Amino acid sequence: MRIEVWADVVCPWAYIGKRRLERAVAALGEPVEVRWRPYRIDPAAPVPAEPLAGALSDPLVEDALRVCAPDLTPAQNRLRVAGIAAREGLGPPWGAAWRASSHDAHRLIALAEPAGVQDAVVEALLRAHFVDAVDISDREVLAGAVGDVFPEGPALLAGPAGEQRVRELLLEGRARGIRTSPTLVAGDRALAGAQPPEVIRDFLAGGDARRPVPAEVERYRWAESLLEQRDPLGALELLGPLLAEHGDDHAVRMLAARAWYASAQLERARIALEELVAGHPTDAYAHVLLGRTLQRLGRHPQAQTHMQLGVALEPTYA
C-alpha cells in the first residue's frame, strides 16, 4: 500500500511520528510505500535562520506555543517532547537551536522522490535540525546533511528546481484539509498527529483503497476547495495546467472566472464570463456572475441586463 506523510522537518512531532510509523509498518508485516509531502508550521521563519532561544523569548511566540500544551509553559513542554523523543530512540542530544525556514529542505525532499531516496533525505534533515542542531535554511548545511544520500540534490537548489512542485503540494495539502504536522493519508482517510504505533498500525490496516480519479479531476477539486476556503489565487495556481490543456471546458472556465472575480481580476473575469454566456446562453449563474462583475466595473446598464436574464432563467437568484 501507499501512504503520504504531510509534515514539516522543523516539527519535533514529525521526527517522533516517523519513528512511530516505522514501528507500525514493521508490526503490520506488509510493504508500505511512504511518500513525504510538505507542510509549513512556521512559514514566516527567516533566511538566514535566527537563534531559537531569542525567538522563543517573544511573548507572541510564547502565546502561540501555549496553544499546543495549555497546561504547560513552553519550557515545560519542550522538556516533555524531549522525553518522548528519547523514548523513541532520538538523541541525545535533542533540540533545535535555530528558527529556520524549511522551504529549501522541502525542495530537496520533493526532488529526492523521483531519485528514490526521499526517506533517507527526510531522516538526514530531521537529524540535522533536532540532533545536530544546525541551521537547515543554510544551503551549505543542507549539502552537508544530505551529501551522503542525495549528493546531486543540493546543487539543484541554485536554480528553480522543486519550487513549483513544493508550491503546488502545499496548496494541495491546504485543499485537502491538512492542518497538522505530521498527518498520514491513505486513500481518502487521514490520521493527524504523531499517534502511538498501534494506532498507526490499525490505520494502515485499513488500506488505501479508493475509487480511481483522473489527475485532472483531482486538481479541479483541489482548486474548488481552495476557492471555497477564500484562496482564489491558490485556486488559480492549481487551475493553471487545466486552463492550458482544457481551457475550452465549461466547468474549468467557470471555476477560473469565479476565482478571477473573487481575486478582483475583474477584466479577466468579464472576458471569461462573456465567452461562457455566448457559448451557453441558458447558464443562469454565468449571467448573474457576469452581472455582478459588470456592476463592480461600473457598467451598470449591461450588468442589469445580465442580472435580469439570470433571474429569469433561475428565479432563486433574485
Side-chain angles (χ1 to χ4, degrees), residues 72-110:
L72 301 174
T73 68
Q76 289 171 333
N77 189 47
R78 288 195 297 277
L79 286 174
R80 178 180 73 94
V81 174
I84 294 170
R87 290 193 291 276
E88 296 296 338
L90 300 173
W94 169 267
W98 299 92
R99 182 191 179 206
S101 169
S102 57
H103 178 71
D104 278 349
H106 284 304
R107 289 173 64 197
L108 278 177
I109 293 168

Side-chain angles (χ1 to χ4, degrees), residues 56-300:
L56 292 175
S57 66
D58 186 329
L60 293 177
V61 173
E62 181 170 337
D63 289 343
L65 290 173
R66 281 187 180 275
V67 175
C68 301
D71 298 330
L72 301 174
T73 68
Q76 289 171 333
N77 189 47
R78 288 195 297 277
L79 286 174
R80 178 180 73 94
V81 174
I84 294 170
R87 290 193 291 276
E88 296 296 338
L90 300 173
W94 169 267
W98 299 92
R99 182 191 179 206
S101 169
S102 57
H103 178 71
D104 278 349
H106 284 304
R107 289 173 64 197
L108 278 177
I109 293 168
L111 293 167
E113 182 176 357
V117 292
Q118 216 186 25
D119 190 78
V121 167
V122 170
E123 180 69 29
L125 293 170
L126 288 167
R127 180 177 180 81
H129 186 67
F130 288 106
V131 177
D132 300 333
V134 293
D135 173 12
I136 61 168
S137 72
D138 186 302
R139 290 182 180 175
E140 290 187 7
V141 171
L142 287 175
V146 305
D148 290 340
V149 294
F150 191 31
E152 66 273 30
L156 298 174
L157 298 178
E163 288 279 1
Q164 184 66 23
R165 177 65 172 158
V166 170
R167 278 199 304 271
E168 288 200 352
L169 284 171
L170 288 169
L171 289 171
E172 178 189 330
R174 189 184 310 161
R176 293 173 67 177
I178 306 300
R179 298 291 183 267
T180 300
S181 170
T183 296
L184 276 61
V185 176
D188 292 326
R189 300 179 304 115
L191 180 67
Q195 300 294 335
E198 57 272 18
V199 174
I200 299 174
R201 181 200 60 217
D202 291 345
F203 173 77
L204 297 178
D208 62 352
R210 64 173 173 171
R211 195 178 197 176
V213 176
E216 294 86 353
V217 175
E218 281 196 322
R219 180 176 283 269
Y220 178 91
R221 290 176 179 173
W222 297 332
E224 191 172 40
S225 173
L226 288 176
L227 185 57
E228 291 171 355
Q229 295 178 53
R230 299 185 179 182
D231 184 5
L233 295 178
L236 286 167
E237 185 162 353
L238 288 185
L239 277 175
L242 294 183
L243 285 168
E245 297 177 21
H246 309 283
D248 294 332
D249 182 88
H250 181 80
V252 171
R253 197 73 177 162
M254 174 57 79
L255 187 57
R258 289 170 55 199
W260 283 321
Y261 175 84
S263 60
Q265 299 181 65
L266 300 178
E267 276 299 327
R268 299 191 74 173
R270 177 189 65 80
I271 293 169
L273 289 163
E274 286 179 348
E275 292 173 351
L276 285 169
V277 298
H280 301 82
T282 60
D283 188 331
Y285 181 73
H287 278 291
V288 169
L289 188 56
L290 177 55
R292 292 173 180 168
T293 302
L294 291 167
Q295 282 179 339
R296 291 177 66 183
L297 288 168
R299 304 180 189 183
H300 298 289

